[in-house]
Structures are given as C-alpha cells and as structure tokens.
Amino acid sequence: MSNQLIHLLAQWHPLKDAHQWVLGLIYKTEGSCYRKAGAVMLFSNAGHQLGVLSGGCLESDINKQAQRVMQDGKHRTAVYDDNDEEDIAFKLGVGCGGVVHLALLPITNDNHYLQLHTVYSYLVSGQPCLWKQEVNGELSSSVSVCDNQQASSSEQADNTTRVKPEAKKTAALLDTQNGKCFLTVPCEPPPHLLIVGGGYDATFVVKMAVQQGWSVSVWDPRPAQARVEHFGDANFIVESTEAEALNLHVAEHNIDAAVLMSHHRQIDSNALAMLSRYPLKYVAMLGPIHRKDEMFALAGIKESDFQGFFASPAGFDIGGDLPESIALSIIAQCHAVLANKLPTLK
C-alpha cells in the first residue's frame, strides 16, 4: 500500500468510528530528517499503523505515545533529537542527525475528525486543498480549496474556505500571539499517468507508477494489447480502438503526465497530436531522436506545442536496456519533473 495521503485516508475513513484513532503529525524539523513537516501517520487501538514518520526507527516509540493519547484523550507533543545523548532518538540510533517535532492528536467525532474526512473527499474528487491544523490548544482545523476548484455547498459548510492556487506551497508553521500553533499542509491528489501502448514493456512502467501511489490509465487501440489480465494494477484501461476515446478520457480526468510506448508510428503520432492540446506537465516518448522528428512530422505539430516537459528518448540515461531499467528511468524522470526537482546529469 502506498504512503500517499489519499491511500492512508482511504484505509482510515471506513473505520474512523470503529476504533480509537490518533494522528501523528510532524509539524517542525531541524537539520537532516527522514520526513519533513506535514508528514502524517495514523494509529488505532486495533493495531493499525498507517504511514511512516521516520525510516522505521521511531515508529515503535511513537506508537506507545499514541496509545497514551487514546487512553486519556489528551493530545501530546514530542521531540526526537538525534544530537541529544539523553533523547530516545539518540538511544535508538536514528542516525539522521536532526530534530523532529511531533504532535499526537486524537481523531474523534467531537473534534470533527480533524477535518481529515474533508481532506479525503477533496482528494478523491481530484481536488487539491490546504489543510490547516492546530497542534496545541483546542486542535481546531480547517480546509481551504483553490478558487479554480468546484466545491459543493455541503463541503463549503464543513469548515471549508477558498484560497488562490498560488497559496498552495510547502507545509508552513504559523504561530499566533496567543501561543497557538498551526500547521498548514498542502494536500494534493497523486499524479495521474497515462500510458499509450499496452505491450509487455508497459507493464513494468505501470507497476512502478502504482508503487508510487499514482493513478494510471492505459490505452492501446489494438485488441491484442492492454489486456486486463496484464494490467490489473491500472486504475483505467481505455477500451476503444478510436483515438477520440482517449481524447475524452484525458478531458474527463486530471492527467498530469503521459508516456508514449506503443512502438507504432500511427498510434504514437495520433496520441502526440491529441496530447499537445492539453497542459500536461510531462510527456515522454520511447525511441531515438530521429524517430521523435518523424513523429512530430506525422502529427503535424512541434515540440514547442507542449506546455510542459517533453522527453524523447524517454527517461534518464541510467545505462540499462531491460524493460525494468527503462521503466525505472522513465518513472524517475517523470517524478523529478512533477516535483520540480529535475537534476542535471553529467
């Protein structure tokens, strides 16, 4: 199971009233730490531990503290300092050399589930939002959605406000004059990757994307390709021989990235022409540079028609030629582009 927030909340949501739950929330870090501010983990009195807050070295102690919160219903904060010889983090040999500030908050109907159910509803509908959580005091919570997103009146009434898209950035800690401390956390749905081509090599790309917690769609107009038994992990298999079906699918879903790997000139060029009309952040196509020029000519478009990053040959050059290596190189490059962390490789 992925550690994407939507997948953690998907496990918690149907059980939110069946057990006692505690949220572990990193609200501040200093120095080198495995997870940063905004990272969450969910604990229950039935033994659930959903997510990670460290490399696996702190979870046992955090779980003990979470059980105390369940017993008395009182929220707590904890500090794990790897530089302090008297600190539990140092004794456990965490090794990162940083300081983690953690809040342990009860999740109950009385505190409106810390608005996590509202966050979940937006993520399921593909809408990014900004979650604001008090880490001390009364544990008040709120959820803000972008102006360009549509929210229902019931969601608006559920302690939800609207903010401009540019307000969504990294998690930020806000201190108020009365001593209250709030953490604002941008929450976004997982990326949605489209794979054009349903051959054997595409199965590795799909599996690797799914392991990242991404949504994945697969389309191949050839009846013998993109078969359900080979792409059981995919969220969608567009079952149509018509390119217009792919166009409708992209229009109806928030596709962030696409990889063209059908190894078929007409399929790739048709998909290329269609995708150039959408603001995808990443588009990659298998094949050598001379094939890219040929595909653009067939599609009747230019590379500059794409608003986002275009890669052909697809992926980083990591020196591998097996399907597994090619999939790794593509997913790594796509991940870097989506995270605005594209490195310069020598």
Side-chain angles (χ1 to χ4, degrees):
M1 178 60 67
S2 166
N3 289 292
Q4 293 270 0
L5 179 60
I6 188 174
H7 296 302
L8 304 183
L9 295 180
Q11 297 174 80
W12 161 79
H13 192 266
L15 301 174
K16 66 182 187 300
D17 294 313
H19 308 294
Q20 288 181 286
W21 289 91
V22 169
L23 176 73
L25 172 65
I26 296 179
Y27 64 90
K28 181 181 177 182
T29 62
E30 302 169 49
S32 177
C33 300
Y34 187 81
R35 299 296 308 275
K36 303 299 181 184
V40 302
M41 188 169 180
L42 295 156
F43 301 87
S44 82
N45 61 343
H48 297 89
Q49 294 189 41
L50 311 178
V52 293
L53 292 173
S54 74
C57 37
L58 296 179
E59 276 71 11
S60 177
D61 186 73
I62 295 173
N63 182 48
K64 292 179 181 178
Q65 299 207 45
Q67 299 301 319
R68 298 188 186 103
V69 174
M70 295 176 203
Q71 291 173 4
D72 59 23
K74 297 179 180 179
H75 65 272
R76 289 171 168 79
T77 59
V79 178
Y80 294 93
D81 186 351
D82 189 42
N83 296 307
D84 184 352
E85 294 185 6
E86 299 302 318
D87 191 271
I88 184 65
F90 185 91
K91 295 177 180 178
L92 290 173
V94 174
C96 294
V99 182
V100 175
H101 298 258
L102 178 72
L104 290 158
L105 316 175
I107 309 171
T108 67
N109 180 57
D110 291 338
N111 63 22
H112 307 289
Y113 305 106
L114 304 179
Q115 294 298 327
L116 292 175
H117 63 304
T118 306
V119 172
Y120 179 59
S121 69
Y122 283 120
L123 296 182
V124 167
S125 64
Q127 298 179 358
C129 60
L130 192 69
W131 173 49
K132 184 178 180 181
Q133 175 61 51
E134 186 178 7
V135 298
N136 56 10
E138 298 177 357
L139 304 186
S140 64
S141 312
S142 64
V143 181
S144 304
V145 295
C146 297
D147 282 334
N148 61 347
Q149 302 292 338
Q150 299 297 320
S152 68
S153 58
S154 63
E155 290 169 331
Q156 286 290 320
D158 193 10
N159 203 16
T160 304
T161 56
R162 306 184 78 78
V163 294
K164 294 181 179 180
E166 56 266 25
K168 304 189 294 89
K169 299 194 180 188
T170 57
L173 187 63
L174 307 174
D175 293 312
T176 61
Q177 293 181 347
N178 58 8
K180 293 185 177 181
C181 186
F182 291 86
L183 183 72
T184 60
V185 183
C187 305
E188 296 192 357
H192 195 150
L193 176 66
L194 167 68
I195 306 295
V196 175
Y200 175 69
D201 57 346
T203 63
F204 294 93
V205 180
V206 171
K207 289 177 181 177
M208 197 161 291
V210 170
Q211 286 181 335
Q212 298 299 316
W214 298 359
S215 296
V216 181
S217 294
V218 180
W219 176 73
D220 194 315
R222 296 166 293 189
Q225 303 294 326
R227 300 180 68 86
V228 174
E229 57 265 33
H230 299 150
F231 292 92
D233 293 333
N235 301 84
F236 304 94
I237 297 180
V238 185
E239 296 180 347
S240 176
T241 60
E242 301 296 329
E244 182 58 26
L246 178 62
N247 186 34
L248 292 174
H249 184 79
V250 175
E252 293 173 359
H253 297 80
N254 296 319
I255 304 295
D256 299 285
V259 178
L260 282 63
M261 52 189 312
S262 73
H263 307 283
H264 189 282
R265 296 167 70 251
Q266 200 61 51
I267 293 175
D268 280 355
S269 62
N270 287 344
L272 202 62
M274 185 274 294
L275 292 173
S276 68
R277 303 196 295 267
Y278 292 91
L280 275 64
K281 300 173 185 175
Y282 174 87
V283 177
M285 184 168 60
L286 261 63
I289 293 177
H290 68 80
R291 185 178 188 274
K292 178 183 77 170
D293 297 335
E294 180 184 3
M295 291 301 100
F296 277 129
L298 280 173
I301 60 172
K302 304 181 297 295
E303 186 171 343
S304 59
D305 291 327
F306 288 90
Q307 299 182 30
F309 185 90
F310 188 90
S312 184
F316 292 133
D317 183 1
I318 60 174
D321 58 2
L322 296 175
E324 298 90 335
S325 301
I326 294 171
L328 173 62
S329 72
I330 293 172
I331 293 300
Q333 185 183 55
C334 182
H335 192 293
V337 171
L338 296 178
N340 294 317
K341 293 290 185 180
L342 191 64
T344 301
L345 298 182
K346 297 182 179 179

